[in-house]
Structures are given as structure tokens and as C-alpha cells.
Amino acid sequence: MVTMTSADSALKSYYLGAVSEQLNTAANPLLAQIRQSTADVWGKEVRRLVQFGVNGGVGAGTEEGDLPAANGNGYAQFVTTLKNLYGTVEISDKAVRASENSAGAFVNLLNAEMEGLVRASSFNFGRMLFGDGTGKLATVSAASGAALTVDSARNFAVGMTVDVLTSAGAAVEGGTGLRVTAVDPDAKTVTLSADISAKLSFADSATYTLSVQGSYGLELTGLGAIFGDSETLYGLTRSENKWLEPYKKAVDGAISETAIQTAIDRLEERAGSRVNFIVCSWGVKRALQNYFSQYKRFTDVTELAGGYKAITYNGIPIVADRLCPEKTMYLLNTDDFCLHQLCDWKWLEGDDGRVLRQVPGKPLYTATLVKYADLICTRPCGQAMLSGITEA
């Protein structure tokens, strides 16, 4: 007979390992290339000592002259707070009791719930990799009933729970915990479960922001932060540490092999960095394939970690990701990235050691996966971004 105790045991002993593997390697092709480590985690923070520049104790001299003065490597400390990443599944008491005499039916129930959790988590964590840590999904510029006009709909999926915030990050009255009921990528509209248009004022070009429920300012430090214009990165001031600046080039037109190769060459010249992974939007990938086909250029296909397939440029895999910003291509050395974590995915346990707990006052049971981590790039100047690419 299936009981809550046996369900709890199954989540801990069987599903945890499988779900962790999927979230770590199959959630996103870029994430699958990034090393994960518990090193450099101190309490609630990640403190990573990084080296920049070259050793200054090198020089030439005469047979009887002075030796070069010892001037060691340049070091700096990156500091960031571990981000709290959660994923919750919910099972009704009725569903459990309906399948208590059929182990197969209950397994199917758990499988469906865990598959849903993996899909939602994969989408959300994949999105964070391209974000700037603020949790911003899109900017809202107009509202018509429950439909909001946004600058891009790529970060949305039906079923997401979001908050509507002012440009300063304050919650709009009645605008928290709303479900996304429809997404129109072409019209760039997102429809919510409630009409809050009366609470929004777009006078003087005012805008609002959409973020995942309760996540504003609490997400991973993704590529958006590394290539952004913020004053600081990992606790260091950009203006005082020019080596924090990556290579950024506005193509503002058609993609070309020259633009790609120039970025690769500049990274090797400036930082000794060798690009080993390229990620772009689907439209940019199509434009690149069109460019290669014009010159009868054959592109090899390679298989990456996690089972992903990618075309290549001079041996470098090129992956399209729906969550990558439009008209953008990132050229990365993934050896410089690490997801620092307090531990791998774990179930949030109660005082009694159970992971399935009843929601107070409701015939529902929930279980929550948790991971405390943040992403650090030890050599931002060794990464590149091409923007403004005309998509196909």
C-alpha cells in the first residue's frame, strides 16, 4: 500500500539523484559546460581569489647587474552572496488516496510531478544564466486589460507566477503572485490572471517591470551582469579595475565571419583567453547558417555534454538558446566560469526529517528542492558579446 511515508522515502532515495542530474547537466547546454564546486564558499558568501595581469618580476640584465625586482601576480577577491534557488512540487491528498492501492499509479503521479518540476526549473535556471541578477523578466510599456505589452516575451511561459513592480522595484498593488495565462511572442504581450491595468500609469513614459514571484534582486549573477553597465561586479568597481570589462561590439547589421573572428582574436590578444563555446539566439543562428551557406561553407556538428548537438565554427560549438537575448551572440571561455554552491540539490526537510509536508489548512502536500549557489566568472575580460545582429 502506498503511504505518505513511502512517498517521502521515494522522493529522498530515488528521485533526488535523478532530478539533480537532470538539473545540473540537462537543464541548459551552457550550464552543462560550467564546472560546479563547493570550494570558496564561506558561510553565506562566495569569496573567490582571482589573478589578473602578469607577474612583474621578469626582466633582462647584465652578467653582473641587479636581478629583476620581485613583483608578484596581481590578485583581487570576488565576493558575492549565495543565491537561494527553490523548486516546489505539490500533491493533493485526494490524488495520493486514489492511488494508494496501486503502486504503478502512484509512481506515474510522482513522475508527472517531478517532470513538471524539472521542466519549470530548467527554464528558470537557464533564464538566470543570461540575466543580470535582478530577476527582471521584461519591461512593461502598456496595458490593455490583463494583457501587458513587454519589450521581449522570451522569458515567459504559460503557468509562471510573476510580480509586477515599479521601475524602482516596489510591488504594484494587487500585482504580486499572478499567473501567466498566455504569451504572444510576435505581439510581445503577456496576459496575467488578473487585470491590474487600473493600477498602472504610463504617463511621462513610465514603465514597469515583471519578475518571477519574490525573486527580484535575488537571482544568479548571469551574463547580463558580466556584460552589463553596472558600477560594480562581484564587489569590485569597474572603473578602477579595467580588467573586469569584457569585449563588447555592436555589429548593428548582418553577421559575418570577420566579426566573429575579430572577437575571438581580441580575446586571445587582450587576455590570453581561448573561446570554447558560443551561444546565441535562434534568429542569430539561422542568420549565421545562411551566411555560411552563401559561401558553400560546411559546418560540422558536434555533441556536447548533456546530449546537446551543435554546429561548429573552427571547432568551437555554436548553440542556440531561446533564452539568449535577441540579436546577440556570446563568445565564452567556459573554463573561466564556476557555479559555486554550498551543496548540490537537496530536499528541504522538516524537524521530523520528512520532505513531504502538509500545507496548513489545506489537503495538499508539498516538497521543496533547494540549492544555494552563485555563478562567478574569474576572467570577465576573456569573454565577448556581439550585439545588434540582424536575425533571420
Side-chain angles (χ1 to χ4, degrees):
M1 177 181 290
V2 175
T3 64
M4 295 309 299
T5 300
S6 60
D8 196 89
S9 178
L11 288 177
K12 284 197 244 184
S13 61
Y14 176 74
Y15 286 98
L16 180 59
V19 169
S20 296
E21 179 69 17
Q22 290 186 64
L23 290 178
N24 289 336
T25 62
N28 182 277
L30 175 56
L31 181 61
Q33 306 300 312
I34 295 175
R35 180 171 59 92
Q36 301 187 27
S37 173
T38 56
D40 301 306
V41 175
W42 301 88
K44 298 181 180 180
E45 294 181 331
V46 180
R47 292 181 172 270
R48 177 70 185 270
L49 188 67
V50 298
Q51 179 184 335
F52 63 91
V54 296
N55 190 298
V58 176
T62 64
E63 294 182 31
E64 300 177 354
D66 295 332
L67 295 173
N71 290 292
N73 302 320
Y75 292 101
Q77 188 177 69
F78 284 171
V79 180
T80 182
T81 303
L82 288 170
K83 307 304 186 297
N84 310 323
L85 310 177
Y86 301 109
T88 301
V89 292
E90 185 176 82
I91 304 173
S92 72
D93 181 67
K94 183 178 181 180
V96 174
R97 294 184 185 279
S99 57
E100 65 181 359
N101 294 319
S102 173
F106 188 72
V107 168
N108 290 338
L109 172 65
L110 280 183
N111 283 342
E113 290 296 328
M114 298 310 296
E115 286 173 5
L117 174 63
V118 169
R119 284 197 303 271
S121 299
S122 298
F123 176 84
N124 202 41
F125 302 140
R127 176 188 57 76
M128 287 188 196
L129 292 178
F130 296 97
D132 60 3
T134 64
K136 178 181 175 181
L137 300 175
T139 298
V140 181
S141 58
S144 177
L148 307 180
T149 301
V150 295
D151 57 341
S152 174
R154 75 176 184 279
N155 288 326
F156 297 93
V158 173
M160 289 177 65
T161 304
V162 300
D163 296 335
V164 184
L165 311 171
T166 65
S167 57
V172 173
E173 182 182 352
T176 58
L178 303 180
R179 297 292 297 274
V180 175
T181 60
V183 179
D184 188 334
D186 296 324
K188 294 186 177 180
T189 61
V190 176
T191 304
L192 304 182
S193 56
D195 179 1
I196 61 167
S197 57
K199 304 293 184 180
L200 308 179
S201 173
F202 296 96
D204 300 323
S205 299
T207 59
Y208 295 86
T209 293
L210 286 171
S211 70
V212 173
Q213 57 174 338
S215 300
Y216 188 75
L218 302 174
E219 294 193 345
L220 293 176
T221 307
L223 296 180
I226 296 171
F227 291 94
D229 299 320
S230 61
E231 183 179 348
T232 61
L233 179 64
Y234 304 130
L236 299 180
T237 304
R238 291 181 190 266
S239 60
E240 298 175 359
N241 300 274
K242 295 298 185 182
W243 54 274
L244 289 175
E245 290 297 331
Y247 175 84
K248 294 185 285 188
K249 178 68 174 179
V251 175
D252 293 334
I255 189 64
S256 68
E257 188 172 358
T258 300
I260 297 174
Q261 191 59 52
T262 298
I264 293 173
D265 292 344
R266 287 292 299 276
L267 293 183
E268 189 161 355
E269 291 171 5
R270 293 172 51 192
S273 178
R274 299 198 174 188
V275 173
N276 63 7
F277 193 84
I278 297 175
V279 60
C280 59
S281 65
W282 284 102
V284 169
K285 181 183 177 182
R286 290 191 295 270
L288 185 61
Q289 288 176 310
N290 289 342
Y291 174 83
F292 286 150
S293 65
Q294 290 176 4
Y295 297 97
K296 303 297 187 291
R297 171 91 178 257
F298 177 75
T299 54
D300 293 326
V301 176
T302 186
E303 184 167 332
L304 307 175
Y308 298 98
K309 293 186 182 297
I311 63 173
T312 63
Y313 168 76
N314 287 346
I316 304 171
I318 302 174
V319 173
D321 195 312
R322 63 160 291 190
L323 298 167
C324 181
E326 291 95 340
K327 303 180 180 181
T328 302
M329 173 183 284
Y330 293 104
L331 300 96
L332 310 172
N333 183 340
T334 57
D335 294 338
D336 295 331
F337 289 82
C338 182
L339 186 68
H340 293 273
Q341 57 192 26
L342 186 60
C343 61
D344 205 353
W345 290 101
K346 298 290 185 182
W347 289 112
L348 200 62
E349 298 184 4
D351 295 335
D352 56 1
R354 290 181 176 271
V355 299
L356 269 174
R357 290 172 291 175
Q358 184 182 357
V359 178
K362 294 186 178 182
L364 299 171
Y365 294 89
T366 64
T368 302
L369 274 175
V370 63
K371 185 173 189 173
Y372 306 105
D374 201 6
L375 182 66
I376 282 185
C377 173
T378 56
R379 189 165 44 168
C381 61
Q383 322 305 321
M385 179 182 73
L386 303 179
S387 60
I389 300 171
T390 301
E391 296 192 336

